[in-house]
Amino acid sequence: MNERIFRVLEFNKIIEQLADHAASSLGKDSARRLKPATELAVVKQLQAETDQAVQILRLHGDVPFGGISDIRPSLKRAEVGGVLNAQECLQIAGLIYGGKQLRRFVDSLEELEVPLIREQVANIQPLSELEQEIRSCIDDHAHVMDGASDKLRAIRAKIRTSESRIRERLDSYIRSKSKMLSDAIVTIRNDRYVLPVKQEYRAAIGGIVHDQSSSGQTLFMEPQAVVDINNTLSEAKVQEKAEIERILRELTVSIASDLVPLKVNVEALAALDFIFARAKLGQSMRAAMPTMNDQGYIEMKQARHPLLDQDQVVANDIVLGKDYHAIVITGPNTGGKTVTLKLIGLCTLMGQSGLQIPALDGCQLAVFDEVFADIGDEQSIEQSLSTFSSHMTNIVEILGQVTDRTLVLFDELGAGTDPQEGAALAMAILDEVVKRKARIIATTHYPELKAYGYNRDGVINASVEFDVQTLKPTYRLLIGVPGRSNAFEISRRLGLNSELIQSAKQLIGTDSTSVEKMIESLDTARRKAEQDYDDAERTLQEAEQLKRHLEKQWHQFEQERETLYKKAEQKAEQAIEKARKEAEEIVDTIRAMKHQSALKEHEWIEARKLLDQAKPELSQKTQEQTISKRPKQEQTLEVGDEVKLLTLNQNGTILEHVSNNEFQVQVGMMKMKVKRQDLQLLKRDNPVVERPLATIKGSNYHVKTELDLRGERYEDAIQELEKYVDDALLAGYARVSIIHGKGTGALRKGVQEFAKKHRQIESARPGGMNEGGSGVTIFEFK
């Protein structure tokens, strides 16, 4: 892509903003080298990377890039055999640490789908051994530590001892010969410890003079008593320097052995810092990810110029490339035509660079091979070119490269020459670019171009709105409506004489008047349509608000109804439980009198069962269900019919027709009178006649003589066994078979324990050879 477009559209300012959001020099360098891509697949990947980084920033706020710096120059020196200094080694350790921190952070984001970010992070090598080796030798202040080697520790101990001895000697001089000194201090000259001695006492002190003051009155002397110790100290410092250099050389060799993974780490961290810088820039602009295409289709919703104040700039909807390929924008100066032109071009460059654009979600941008622009005053004094000549030179160059994968931006096309010739030339240029199927946005002042969009396929007029009342532009782009000059109206509001304005109107041509009236009509229709749309939108919002209110009221009603149902159920359950307890007490009282009664045990079991089953299953819709289950009135019931008692959910037999609306029904051992609406006919075949409960052996009470418990859970099996024994006793069986299988023997033991505790079971024995063996237990009842 041509470099000139970056300057014309001010893309370089976007680059600088992007670099400011990078956390390291690696990211800043990548940002400053950014160029728009021209392959759709590459652009889509760049946008996906940015979007995934935005997801991470939105949920976690920031990403750890601390300690990362550009170590590429140091790596190059290590590669060619140079020795790195302590600061360079420390920066390499910092980059290794920063890479590990970033990798741990991304690995912790298990809930996010960010495959492209994870792919970059996977390239980072830990290199913990190299980092530890550097950290064990160099501290956080880039100082080689004593522990870097045993030899260095010994040398520095010797240095400290020598310095201490020197100070002790010099301090004794200060105490005993302070009158001979200009100042009672110990100082250093030429890396030697010296005293400031007055000139006249030079011989009294003795030793070596290393320096003197500017006046010559003070000599900086090294007393003879510390010369040997200073020599020892100097030798130790030379040894220290040599040992430090040896340590750094070894560290450099270790670093050189890991050059390849270190370079990979640098590239991965630079790429990640660059990706997150793009995401941060998008967040600062309140931007959205565009969907990219290679069909030349642009659709931006509420797009804002990225270099203007985002709280002040006017947002516009822009569509290009589907129903029309060219937009001709007309309107007054300072109305925002050029801003709109740059907005489209700049957003295109940003989209192709992997940057999100300041617009609403759902926008689309096209990938172009080239973006050309002829914007601003290109007059060149050096080349002695006029404004028109400069523009035409640029346009000629553009026309030589235009294809169907090109976006062309023309500002004030044909300006700078005779209006009629300029307008004709502008239309000819537009025709040529449209014929090549490029995407074009052009601005102009020429009235002849206002009707251009009506006479050409694939071209549409647009304008920037101007508020005549306030005499200020609104900066709104109106696609489909050409701009009005508003010269007469503006002049009237500024106080120009009405007669002068009327004379001017008579001087303009009929065609121009017709065009202006047509534009005025279109503008009036547009305003009315916008007002109607606002009214419809307001009505829709009110309807939605009313709908939400009604839904809320209905929900409250449902909750209240549910609460009432639950309260009714609770009251019914309490009443039933109270009746059940009373019945239990009566049964217990009668059972205590058992020796006075001829009733058998299984009759009491059936009575108890009927009491348990007498509790109805209530629900939130009990009343509706009961009503729906009641028999139709035209059904007739006869003595002997098998019926269902809807209130008790039990089956019984009609014994007597008491009255028109009441029947006597046998339910187990009980007889009761029941209303007709509470009975449902089941069947009329083989009516069961009334007989005492004690003689129902072989009757219609159907119970098998064996119970299969195999495969059941232990608790469920014992519960099912208890019910079966009650049913078998009611049926009058003398013996039944309980099939429990062999298995682990737990179920068999449970069955046998149950038999021991049940007072109606006389014996429980394993089954014989023909009865199922140890997998069966035979119960014999009393």
Side-chain angles (χ1 to χ4, degrees):
M1 194 161 295
N2 64 93
E3 293 289 334
R4 180 178 176 277
I5 196 67
F6 302 149
R7 175 177 54 82
V8 172
L9 296 180
E10 299 179 286
F11 185 64
N12 294 327
K13 292 183 179 180
I14 298 293
I15 295 296
E16 287 305 314
Q17 289 186 17
L18 178 62
D20 291 340
H21 285 289
S24 69
S25 57
L26 292 172
K28 293 181 186 297
D29 184 58
S30 298
R32 292 191 175 101
R33 289 186 287 107
L34 176 63
K35 293 291 185 293
T38 56
E39 296 180 11
L40 180 61
V42 175
V43 175
K44 283 186 174 181
Q45 177 163 338
L46 291 172
Q47 286 291 347
E49 289 174 349
T50 307
D51 185 59
Q52 291 176 21
V54 168
Q55 293 181 48
I56 295 174
L57 292 176
R58 185 168 56 246
L59 294 178
H60 296 275
D62 203 358
V63 180
F65 278 103
I68 297 173
S69 58
D70 189 357
I71 63 170
R72 287 173 293 190
S74 300
L75 295 181
K76 189 172 294 184
R77 287 184 57 224
E79 188 174 12
V80 298
V83 178
L84 304 183
N85 59 40
Q87 182 65 39
E88 290 175 311
C89 293
L90 185 63
Q91 288 177 346
I92 291 172
L95 181 127
I96 296 172
Y97 175 77
K100 291 194 296 184
Q101 288 289 97
L102 183 60
R103 182 166 183 167
R104 277 195 290 269
F105 171 78
V106 174
D107 288 343
S108 68
L109 306 176
E110 298 178 355
E111 75 281 6
L112 288 180
E113 291 292 333
V114 286
L116 295 176
I117 302 296
R118 295 188 193 280
E119 182 180 338
Q120 288 286 356
V121 169
N123 294 326
I124 300 175
Q125 304 297 315
L127 301 178
S128 299
E129 293 182 5
L130 178 59
E131 181 196 3
Q132 183 60 34
E133 184 179 356
I134 296 173
R135 296 285 187 188
S136 66
C137 296
I138 303 172
D139 63 16
D140 293 339
H141 303 289
H143 180 260
V144 179
M145 298 183 292
D146 294 356
S149 72
D150 293 338
K151 184 176 181 180
L152 182 62
R153 183 183 289 108
I155 292 172
R156 285 185 172 167
K158 184 178 180 180
I159 290 173
R160 285 190 287 271
T161 301
S162 298
E163 288 177 340
S164 177
R165 291 177 59 194
I166 292 171
R167 284 189 174 277
E168 287 177 2
R169 295 286 181 90
L170 295 180
D171 285 344
S172 67
Y173 271 93
I174 292 173
R175 288 192 299 269
S176 61
K177 301 180 179 182
S178 59
K179 294 182 180 180
M180 301 179 185
L181 304 178
S182 299
D183 200 354
I185 61 170
V186 176
T187 185
I188 296 176
R189 288 293 187 276
N190 300 326
D191 291 331
R192 311 279 285 192
Y193 285 92
V194 296
L195 293 173
V197 180
K198 295 178 182 178
Q199 172 68 31
E200 58 269 25
Y201 295 108
R202 172 179 181 176
I205 296 294
I208 303 171
V209 177
H210 288 281
D211 198 3
Q212 69 178 9
S213 65
S214 58
S215 64
Q217 298 300 313
T218 301
L219 303 177
F220 294 95
M221 297 184 64
E222 179 183 2
Q224 189 64 43
V226 298
V227 169
D228 292 340
I229 305 176
N230 258 331
N231 289 339
T232 302
L233 177 61
S234 297
E235 291 175 3
K237 288 184 176 181
V238 171
Q239 293 172 356
E240 177 191 32
K241 183 177 180 181
E243 180 62 14
I244 288 174
E245 187 172 348
R246 185 193 66 79
I247 292 169
L248 292 175
R249 185 178 294 107
E250 288 185 357
L251 287 178
T252 302
V253 171
S254 299
I255 290 169
S257 65
D258 283 328
L259 276 177
V260 173
L262 281 170
K263 288 180 179 179
V264 171
N265 283 9
V266 169
E267 292 176 1
L269 291 170
L272 286 165
D273 192 9
F274 179 41
I275 290 170
F276 280 97
R278 302 201 305 259
K280 291 174 184 177
L281 178 64
Q283 283 190 324
S284 69
M285 292 181 176
R286 303 195 300 275
M289 182 184 77
T291 301
M292 307 302 298
N293 66 82
D294 57 359
Q295 307 302 313
Y297 180 53
I298 297 175
E299 180 181 8
M300 292 189 287
K301 301 175 181 177
Q302 295 298 289
R304 308 177 302 277
H305 195 289
L307 294 178
L308 299 179
D309 186 345
Q310 297 299 299
D311 294 326
Q312 302 293 329
V313 65
V314 175
N316 280 301
D317 295 342
I318 299 167
V319 180
L320 175 67
K322 185 171 287 187
D323 297 329
Y324 45 86
H325 295 168
I327 300 176
V328 178
I329 306 175
T330 55
N333 286 330
T334 70
K337 298 193 302 297
T338 305
V339 170
T340 303
L341 208 65
K342 288 186 175 182
L343 162 66
I344 299 170
L346 197 51
C347 286
T348 297
L349 296 181
M350 291 173 64
Q352 292 185 217
S353 301
L355 302 176
Q356 296 188 344
I357 63 170
L360 298 183
D361 289 334
C363 53
Q364 297 191 52
L365 287 177
V367 176
F368 296 103
D369 291 339
E370 289 286 354
V371 177
F372 294 111
D374 179 58
I375 298 175
D377 189 355
E378 298 290 337
Q379 184 173 0
S380 172
I381 298 176
E382 294 180 359
Q383 299 178 12
S384 300
L385 295 176
S386 66
T387 300
F388 177 75
S389 299
S390 178
H391 279 297
M392 288 311 302
T393 300
N394 191 27
I395 290 172
V396 168
E397 183 181 347
I398 292 173
L399 291 176
Q401 304 177 64
V402 168
T403 68
D404 60 346
R405 287 179 54 84
T406 303
L407 174 65
V408 183
L409 309 173
F410 288 130
D411 188 29
E412 299 299 342
L413 183 59
T417 186
D418 178 78
Q420 290 185 343
E421 293 180 355
L425 197 56
M427 286 189 282
I429 293 171
L430 287 175
D431 284 340
E432 178 62 23
V433 180
V434 169
K435 185 172 67 175
R436 299 189 192 183
K437 298 183 178 179
R439 304 301 185 265
I440 315 117
I441 300 98
T443 68
T444 183
H445 274 108
Y446 294 133
E448 291 84 353
L449 288 177
K450 293 181 180 180
Y452 180 81
Y454 295 104
N455 302 324
R456 303 293 194 282
D457 292 333
V459 182
I460 192 169
N461 282 315
S463 61
V464 284
E465 189 178 49
F466 187 88
D467 191 340
V468 180
Q469 303 297 324
T470 61
L471 300 181
K472 292 181 180 180
T474 65
Y475 303 106
R476 290 183 58 201
L477 180 67
L478 309 175
I479 293 181
V481 180
R484 299 173 59 192
S485 65
N486 297 310
F488 295 144
E489 187 64 29
I490 293 173
S491 300
R492 178 182 292 107
R493 291 191 170 274
L494 291 176
L496 188 63
N497 189 291
S498 299
E499 294 180 357
L500 290 176
I501 294 174
Q502 192 61 34
S503 298
K505 285 184 177 181
Q506 294 175 357
L507 295 175
I508 64 173
T510 305
D511 292 341
S512 298
T513 304
S514 299
V515 169
E516 285 299 319
K517 288 183 177 179
M518 176 191 69
I519 294 174
E520 183 178 0
S521 176
L522 287 172
D523 189 49
T524 303
R526 177 189 61 80
R527 292 179 182 275
K528 185 177 186 306
E530 288 181 350
Q531 182 63 41
D532 292 343
Y533 176 82
D534 291 341
D535 293 343
E537 183 69 19
R538 186 166 52 255
T539 303
L540 177 61
Q541 290 177 357
E542 291 174 354
E544 289 179 347
Q545 184 177 1
L546 178 60
K547 177 176 175 290
R548 289 193 295 269
H549 177 71
L550 292 175
E551 287 177 345
K552 182 179 179 181
Q553 293 294 326
W554 176 255
H555 182 65
Q556 292 177 351
F557 168 74
E558 288 285 337
Q559 288 182 328
E560 291 175 0
R561 186 175 67 171
E562 186 72 18
T563 302
L564 292 174
Y565 275 134
K566 288 181 179 179
K567 287 182 179 179
E569 284 187 2
Q570 291 173 357
K571 289 183 179 179
E573 287 176 355
Q574 291 172 359
I576 292 173
E577 185 63 24
K578 181 180 179 182
R580 185 179 181 280
K581 289 181 179 179
E582 292 176 353
E584 285 279 0
E585 292 174 359
I586 296 171
V587 171
D588 290 343
T589 302
I590 297 175
R591 190 185 297 276
M593 303 166 61
K594 178 180 177 183
H595 64 279
Q596 301 176 2
S597 172
L599 295 177
K600 294 184 178 180
E601 180 67 21
H602 65 268
E603 296 177 80
W604 298 110
I605 293 172
E606 182 178 4
R608 173 65 178 272
K609 182 179 179 182
L610 289 173
L611 283 172
D612 288 337
Q613 295 176 344
K615 181 179 178 180
E617 296 181 358
L618 298 176
S619 67
Q620 297 175 3
K621 299 182 180 180
T622 303
Q623 295 179 348
E624 290 112 349
Q625 292 174 350
T626 302
I627 293 171
S628 64
K629 291 180 179 178
R630 287 178 178 169
K632 297 180 180 180
Q633 292 298 325
E634 60 266 26
Q635 288 181 326
T636 58
L637 299 177
E638 300 176 0
V639 175
D641 288 347
E642 185 175 346
V643 293
K644 182 174 183 179
L645 279 72
L646 298 178
T647 54
L648 297 180
N649 197 25
Q650 295 291 321
N651 296 346
T653 305
I654 295 179
L655 300 179
E656 182 182 352
H657 192 172
V658 179
S659 65
N660 290 337
N661 194 36
E662 195 173 32
F663 295 83
Q664 188 178 41
V665 182
Q666 173 82 39
V667 181
M669 63 172 288
M670 295 185 297
K671 298 177 183 178
M672 58 183 69
K673 293 181 179 180
V674 185
K675 298 292 185 181
R676 171 63 184 84
Q677 60 266 28
D678 294 328
L679 294 175
Q680 180 180 357
L681 176 64
L682 294 179
K683 63 180 180 178
R684 197 165 275 167
D685 299 331
N686 300 323
V688 180
V689 296
E690 179 187 2
R691 64 182 66 183
L693 184 61
T695 62
I696 66 171
K697 293 180 181 180
S699 69
N700 289 348
Y701 202 98
H702 301 294
V703 180
K704 292 183 178 180
T705 58
E706 63 180 28
L707 173 65
D708 191 350
L709 297 176
R710 289 175 295 183
E712 297 282 348
R713 292 176 63 252
Y714 181 84
E715 293 80 2
D716 296 339
I718 297 303
Q719 186 176 358
E720 187 174 348
L721 176 62
E722 182 179 1
K723 181 178 181 301
Y724 172 74
V725 168
D726 290 345
D727 292 342
L729 287 170
L730 289 172
Y733 294 149
R735 182 177 63 181
V736 294
S737 300
I738 310 301
I739 304 172
H740 44 66
K742 298 179 181 179
T744 61
L747 188 55
R748 180 176 68 251
K749 291 180 182 179
V751 170
Q752 292 173 353
E753 287 295 326
F754 173 82
K756 290 178 183 178
K757 297 178 181 179
H758 201 289
R759 54 188 175 184
Q760 290 300 114
I761 299 176
E762 186 171 3
S763 66
R765 62 175 177 80
M769 293 296 294
N770 297 326
E771 295 174 321
S774 60
V776 177
T777 297
I778 308 298
F779 286 176
E780 292 185 355
F781 300 122
K782 296 179 180 179

